[in-house]
Structures are given as structure tokens and as C-alpha cells.
Amino acid sequence: MIKQFQKIISEKAHEEFQKWREENPEGFLLNVKSKSSGMIHRSICAHLGNTEWQAGQPGDLGKQMKVCSQNLKEIHNWATQNGITHITECSDCKPIDDQRIMSEIAETIFNKDEFDPDIVVDERRKTLHDIVLRQGQPAFRKSLLDAYGGRCAITECDVVHVLESAHIYPYQGEETNTVTNGLLLRSDIHTLFDLHIITVHPETLKIHINPTLKDSLYWELNEKTLREPIDEASRPSKLALRKHFDSSGIE
């Protein structure tokens, strides 16, 4: 539920604001800097100024409106409705929950209408939107993360933020979003796989690299064996791998 505090220029207003902070240590607040901009903080952020009232010195941010809530999305919705189009985050408390925002964006992209860039509040959300698109539909990606134990099937990279859900046979609707038609790949490997510069032999499961990359670090992956899921039912389809391998032209 949204709680608003106007300019905190009195001891009473200051005490009410500090009371909300104490009662909502996991909350967030938007410090409204102008008619169109603001900064998000965690409620416990020291950047917000003095916790004790000092006459005439309520804190560096004391003279600005504060919009508070336990729910970060609720604050973003309030900002959109009130014309706050540019929101930054406090560098001290780094309050914006990227994973939560990515989930919200994924829901918008995959379960609702076409993504509307006008609802994007700042560059962070634009960046996270692009990441969601690259990583693929959430359920498909999760099934591959589970199947491959959170590691790239080719490089064994375990940095989840750069792992993407790659289709072996190109995406043709929900029926192609099956774990057996997917590989969990590091983002750069995913791009090369989609370009058929990297492929996998369907029988030997050896990685084959286009000779144009012979002088690059990627060549170290040539002839390496693809790491399959332990669960046989989750292993990549040999028919799908055959189509990808044949279309690559790599011998």
C-alpha cells in the first residue's frame, strides 16, 4: 500500500517518516526530485538523511516528497501514473531487484500484449527487457537450467546470468519449447550456434566449429563432447541435432 510523505520540513512529519521506515525495514521509497524524476531507495538507506530531527536540518533529502511501499512494483506504477518518467537507483543501497523486474518484464512479453517501450521507466528496465528476450521464455529456460544443472552444455560456464535457452530446431511455437529441442548455452555460444558456426554431431555428440574460427579461442572447443543431462528423457533430440548439423555445412 502506497504511503506518501510530503516535504519533510517539520519535526512531526520527520517522526512519521522515520516511524514508517522502522516499521517497514524491507520496504522501498521513491524520493521525488522533480515533476518527472526520482530516486529509489531501500527504506533503511543511510543516504536518506538524519534519523534524528535537527531543526532546519532534516537531512539532505528532507525537503523532497517520498512515496513509500513494501512493493517496488507498486511504486513504479505510481510513478508512471504521476508522470515520473526517469527513475534512478541509489548507489549506496542498490534497491532495485533485477530478478523481480525481469520476472515482471517476462510476464509482459510472454503472457500479454506486445511490449510497450513507453512503460519502461529507465535504462535498467530497457536492459533487463533485452536480457529477458535473449534468455528466452522463462519456463523453457528453467527446464534447461534444471536439466543441465545450471551449466552451459558446451563450455560448462555456471554463471546463470549469461546462460540462455537455445533452440536446436528453430522456434516455431510452443511445441518447439521442449527440453529435448533445447540446449543451455552461454550467450556468445548461443549466437554462434544459431548462426550454425558451432554445431553438434548427432551421433558422437562432438562439437564442430566452422574453420573460420580456427585462429580464435573458440577453436579450443572443437571436438569437445557435448555435456548431456543425466536424465535420459531430457537429452537433446538426435533428429533435431541432425537437422542442425546438416544445415551447418561443417564436416
Side-chain angles (χ1 to χ4, degrees):
M1 182 177 179
I2 288 287
K3 175 73 173 178
Q4 293 185 44
F5 295 92
Q6 300 300 322
K7 295 178 180 180
I8 301 176
I9 55 177
S10 71
E11 185 172 3
K12 181 179 180 181
H14 177 82
E15 290 176 351
E16 290 178 353
F17 173 57
Q18 297 303 335
K19 182 180 179 181
W20 185 90
R21 292 178 68 188
E22 291 173 4
E23 294 175 348
N24 298 276
E26 301 299 320
F28 303 90
L29 66 92
L30 172 67
N31 205 66
V32 181
K33 301 171 70 174
S34 72
K35 291 182 178 180
S36 61
S37 68
M39 179 177 288
I40 291 280
H41 299 262
R42 293 189 183 277
S43 62
I44 59 174
C45 180
H47 193 172
L48 292 170
N50 302 315
T51 56
E52 295 183 5
W53 173 254
Q54 297 181 36
Q57 300 179 36
D60 292 340
L61 305 180
K63 294 184 179 181
Q64 296 170 345
M65 177 195 290
K66 293 169 176 59
V67 179
C68 310
S69 176
Q70 285 276 13
N71 188 309
L72 186 58
K73 184 176 181 180
E74 193 171 46
I75 291 179
H76 279 295
N77 288 341
W78 182 94
T80 300
Q81 294 168 6
N82 287 272
I84 309 296
T85 57
H86 181 67
I87 295 179
T88 56
E89 68 169 325
C90 173
S91 59
D92 291 344
C93 65
K94 300 186 183 300
I96 298 180
D97 186 335
D98 286 355
Q99 291 301 318
R100 186 188 309 183
I101 292 176
M102 287 174 70
S103 295
E104 294 170 6
I105 293 172
E107 181 182 357
T108 299
I109 295 172
F110 301 120
N111 298 329
K112 297 182 179 179
D113 296 330
E114 183 179 357
F115 178 72
D116 181 0
D118 290 336
I119 68 171
V120 177
V121 178
D122 60 11
E123 287 300 319
R124 176 182 289 273
R125 290 184 71 92
K126 291 180 182 177
T127 299
L128 294 177
H129 167 258
D130 291 341
I131 290 173
V132 169
L133 284 177
R134 287 202 307 272
Q135 289 181 340
Q137 298 192 26
F140 181 49
R141 180 170 182 262
K142 185 179 185 304
S143 69
L144 290 170
L145 282 168
D146 292 342
Y148 288 88
R151 289 180 178 271
C152 172
I154 291 179
T155 67
E156 298 195 29
C157 171
D158 63 355
V159 181
V160 174
H161 296 295
V162 299
L163 298 179
E164 299 179 354
S165 49
H167 291 88
I168 303 173
Y169 184 79
Y171 176 76
Q172 298 290 334
E174 286 299 317
E175 65 275 11
T176 54
N177 272 354
T178 63
V179 67
T180 57
N181 187 43
L183 294 173
L184 187 69
L185 299 178
R186 197 175 68 195
S187 57
D188 57 328
I189 301 297
H190 184 185
T191 298
L192 294 173
F193 185 81
D194 282 352
L195 294 173
H196 292 80
I197 294 174
I198 290 180
T199 190
V200 180
H201 193 282
E203 301 301 331
T204 66
L205 297 182
K206 294 290 185 182
I207 311 300
H208 287 244
I209 311 289
N210 190 296
T212 58
L213 296 184
K214 195 167 186 178
D215 294 327
S216 74
L217 291 175
Y218 292 107
W219 193 250
E220 296 177 0
L221 300 173
N222 196 46
E223 296 295 325
K224 180 179 178 179
T225 301
L226 182 79
R227 190 174 63 84
E228 289 188 293
I230 295 175
D231 179 14
E232 290 188 15
S234 298
R235 293 175 182 174
S237 163
K238 289 190 175 182
L239 289 175
L241 288 175
R242 168 58 66 183
K243 286 182 177 294
H244 189 278
F245 183 81
D246 288 347
S247 62
S248 73
I250 303 174
E251 297 182 357

